[in-house]
Amino acid sequence: MRLPLSWFALALVGGLLASGAQAGTVTLDFEDLTCARSQAQCEVGDQYTARGFALRYSPAEDEPLAAGLVGVGTAWKANRKGSLALSIRSCDTQVSLMANDNQPFSLLSIDLAEMTGEGPTAVTFRGLKEDGSEVRQTFKLGPKPGWQRYTFDAGFRGLNSVQWAQGDCLNQRPHMVDNLVLASSVKP
């Protein structure tokens, strides 16, 4: 029996809603970093822009050489997931995430892994909201090395920007990121 197209469309929409898909959702997966396809690591520069969002590198005050963002390829020993990722070249530096159109957005989830394959590593995200308030959430990586997905709480909706720091490389090991799931249409 062949169902009318309207039944198919309703089933498709219902399936998307049941799976948690949201309108306006994008994923920054860094698969466009062609240099990382053939190298363990490669220079990206001070900014990475894709799908309406930008990640910007800010050096630490006492950093002698600003190093920037780094593409991490599948040849990197701690990249056990097998997809391309992004990291920050030096310790104690900040990265900021913003929408290119300066409109509010939501940060829904992120994949994190230890850059060197060893911990301990904790990453604190600080979101600045439309109303000027601030939200924070810390994810502790581990106990095993490798990629893990972390979900942000509802406070990470209606954001103007999100910042986080690379570890100090002594007490907090450096990390890499992949699959940032963002939504431009989800309000607080």
Side-chain angles (χ1 to χ4, degrees):
M1 177 175 150
R2 187 173 170 160
L3 296 174
L5 182 58
S6 59
W7 283 99
F8 175 75
L10 287 173
L12 179 61
V13 169
L16 288 172
L17 291 174
S19 70
Q22 297 180 1
T25 301
V26 298
T27 301
L28 300 182
D29 61 11
F30 310 108
E31 294 301 314
D32 59 338
L33 294 175
T34 55
C35 64
R37 291 183 188 175
S38 60
Q39 301 174 44
Q41 292 185 23
C42 63
E43 299 299 323
V44 173
D46 291 343
Q47 182 170 302
Y48 170 84
T49 303
R51 301 184 182 198
F53 291 90
L55 290 158
R56 293 184 179 98
Y57 164 84
S58 300
E61 280 186 33
D62 58 349
E63 185 175 14
L65 300 171
L69 301 170
V70 176
V72 181
T74 58
W76 181 248
K77 64 182 178 184
N79 189 355
R80 297 184 177 127
K81 183 178 180 183
S83 69
L84 305 183
L86 192 75
S87 189
I88 307 169
R89 174 65 73 195
S90 53
C91 303
D92 284 330
T93 55
Q94 296 280 324
V95 68
S96 299
L97 169 66
M98 291 174 271
N100 292 341
D101 62 4
N102 293 319
Q103 292 299 308
F105 66 94
S106 299
L107 181 54
L108 305 177
S109 67
I110 190 170
D111 292 354
L112 297 168
E114 299 87 351
M115 185 68 183
T116 59
E118 52 188 48
T121 301
V123 184
T124 299
F125 293 85
R126 184 173 58 106
L128 301 175
K129 298 178 75 74
E130 291 178 273
D131 64 7
S133 64
E134 182 178 300
V135 292
R136 289 180 185 260
Q137 190 164 356
T138 300
F139 298 121
K140 294 181 181 181
L141 284 62
K144 294 180 181 179
W147 289 100
Q148 297 172 59
R149 176 152 299 151
Y150 297 89
T151 303
F152 289 89
D153 62 35
F156 278 78
R157 310 286 194 273
L159 302 168
N160 283 335
S161 66
V162 176
Q163 293 83 31
W164 70 94
Q166 184 62 284
D168 62 12
C169 297
L170 297 173
N171 298 314
Q172 295 295 327
R173 300 290 184 200
H175 66 279
M176 50 190 165
V177 301
D178 198 4
N179 299 319
L180 283 82
V181 180
L182 304 146
S184 56
S185 61
V186 179
K187 294 286 184 176

